[in-house]
Amino acid sequence: MAEAKTANRPVLRVLSGEAISPPPAWMMRQAGRYLPEYRATRAEAGSFLDLCYNPAFATEVTLQPIRRFGFEASILFSDILVIPHALGQDVRFVEGEGPRLDALEGRAQFDRLREAGDPAIFSHLAPVFEAVERIRGALPDETTLLGFCGAPWTVASYMIGGRGTVDLAPARALAAADPALLDALLDRLVAVQTEYLVRQLLAGADAVQIFESHAGVLPESSDGDALKRFSLGPITRMVQGVRAQVPDAKIIVFAKGSGLEGHARVVPETGASAVGVDWGVDLAALRARVPASTVTQGNLHPETLIEGGRALDAAVDAILAATEGLPHIFNLGHGITPQTPIAHVEQMLARLRGGR
């Protein structure tokens, strides 16, 4: 059954090590505000969290970019912050400003969070798993369904800071003042999110992605390897934990900001099936540095997609040249932005699929 599923779905074939020309494609944040149908559904849903927790709405917005563009993969519509919400932290989304959380500033706030084994966590997240089931049932058979979560360091930084910050100063300050508390928080996130990914896979996700959005901003580590200490180490434990329950699980790790060296470390250190490549890394240089069997994903600059025209064509061609004959999934180097013209997404896919 698993072999038949892989054969029918190009993204799964690439995640198994096969080179496909042209490579299959999807976009991070492909269900989003650049689409008028998303904006309409978002308005109908009410709050952003209502959109995430209502399986009918979450299914609808997940399917919208598949209907419009025919991407080879669809990604569950949700948010990395449903995890702190499920742990009992207050989470809200302020229009025009983004997420706000009641900051976890010390041991007292941590002690109020739910323990990893608390069944209330996954009761809270039950609508997410229902959405996965609905989406898989509604997708074309050839379309891969991706589940996801945030990496422990990235989620912890939001929980500690109460919002996204450029330099992650609150999280780095806590790491210096109370490293044991940060370790306890990371450990809890590893345990809860490992089970979260397993349940997505059991509900119908074909593969999952772990988003480490803040791999480039880490606390200092006494051993000099902050990337391993705070990012790749916890992710490795998650990968191992998922595979202990779903041995053939396909897992993509996106470690934004970790640089050429960090990207090259992702697959061999974590055991991930693929490395997502951000727009700041030279894809050709990375492909020259890693074994030919390494599966890569990315890394078109979102601003190039906004620009369109010859620059977009040239960027698509450069990615195809860098990955020719190698296992690669076409994607952006970060999420698509709301101001992106739909016509430019169509241009990108036409160029990718041979409409030159």
Side-chain angles (χ1 to χ4, degrees):
M1 184 69 176
E3 291 180 0
K5 180 176 72 173
T6 299
N8 291 339
R9 296 173 187 162
V11 169
L12 286 185
R13 288 165 55 193
V14 175
L15 289 174
S16 297
E18 182 179 348
I20 297 177
S21 181
W26 66 282
M27 296 189 304
M28 289 182 280
R29 295 184 190 157
Q30 65 188 22
R33 288 177 289 167
Y34 74 107
L35 293 176
E37 56 265 44
Y38 169 86
R39 296 194 296 271
T41 306
R42 168 72 174 80
E44 184 181 356
S47 75
F48 179 77
L49 283 176
D50 286 336
L51 186 60
C52 291
Y53 288 131
N54 183 304
F57 286 136
T59 299
E60 168 59 23
V61 295
T62 301
L63 295 173
Q64 286 169 352
I66 304 303
R67 297 190 194 112
R68 184 183 278 271
F69 302 115
F71 289 118
E72 283 80 13
S74 179
I75 187 163
L76 164 71
F77 184 85
S78 188
D79 193 272
I80 65 172
L81 298 182
V82 299
I83 293 298
H85 199 221
L87 287 171
Q89 190 172 24
D90 182 65
V91 178
R92 57 208 175 273
F93 286 79
V94 179
E95 194 67 34
E97 296 182 18
R100 297 289 182 270
L101 301 84
D102 287 348
L104 191 160
E105 298 173 335
R107 180 68 62 172
Q109 292 95 335
F110 176 77
D111 288 342
R112 288 196 289 269
L113 297 177
R114 293 185 175 116
E115 297 283 349
D118 190 332
I121 294 172
F122 292 103
S123 295
H124 180 98
L125 295 167
V128 177
F129 309 129
E130 181 181 342
V132 172
E133 293 177 357
R134 290 191 184 202
I135 296 162
R136 182 63 271 171
L139 282 172
D141 183 64
E142 67 273 13
T143 307
T144 296
L145 173 57
L146 300 171
F148 74 94
C149 72
W153 164 249
T154 290
V155 177
S157 71
Y158 278 98
M159 295 178 73
I160 296 163
R163 60 189 297 173
T165 58
V166 175
D167 59 0
L168 306 189
R172 292 189 294 108
L174 182 67
D178 194 344
L181 177 57
L182 178 59
D183 284 343
L185 178 57
L186 293 174
D187 288 346
R188 189 162 303 179
L189 288 169
V190 166
V192 171
Q193 296 196 131
T194 296
E195 182 65 20
Y196 182 52
L197 292 182
V198 167
R199 293 191 184 212
Q200 290 181 52
L201 289 162
L202 296 178
D206 299 305
V208 293
Q209 177 158 310
I210 299 173
F211 285 88
E212 182 70 283
S213 302
H214 297 149
V217 187
L218 298 167
E220 292 185 5
S221 177
S222 58
D223 64 2
D225 192 350
L227 185 64
K228 182 175 182 178
R229 167 81 172 77
F230 297 105
S231 178
L232 298 186
I235 290 171
T236 299
R237 290 157 54 203
M238 288 182 63
V239 171
Q240 292 171 345
V242 170
R243 296 241 176 87
Q245 297 188 62
V246 186
D248 61 347
K250 303 300 183 188
I251 304 170
I252 306 165
V253 171
F254 178 62
K256 184 178 183 291
S258 61
L260 179 63
E261 175 64 26
H263 280 70
R265 293 172 58 182
V266 165
V267 170
E269 291 194 21
T270 69
S273 310
V275 54
V277 186
D278 73 38
W279 53 261
V281 171
D282 183 320
L283 183 58
L286 178 64
R287 290 286 357 178
R289 191 182 184 100
V290 300
S293 59
T294 301
V295 181
T296 50
Q297 176 181 275
N299 67 331
L300 183 71
H301 201 308
E303 292 182 4
T304 305
L305 189 57
I306 295 174
E307 182 178 357
R310 293 181 178 178
L312 176 56
D313 285 345
V316 172
D317 291 350
I319 291 172
L320 292 176
T323 59
E324 184 177 2
L326 300 168
H328 183 75
I329 299 165
F330 191 92
N331 205 320
L332 307 184
H334 199 210
I336 186 171
T337 56
Q339 63 268 40
T340 304
I342 288 173
H344 293 182
V345 178
E346 295 169 339
Q347 175 192 345
M348 175 192 76
L349 291 173
R351 188 75 174 185
L352 175 66
R353 293 167 176 169
R356 303 185 180 188

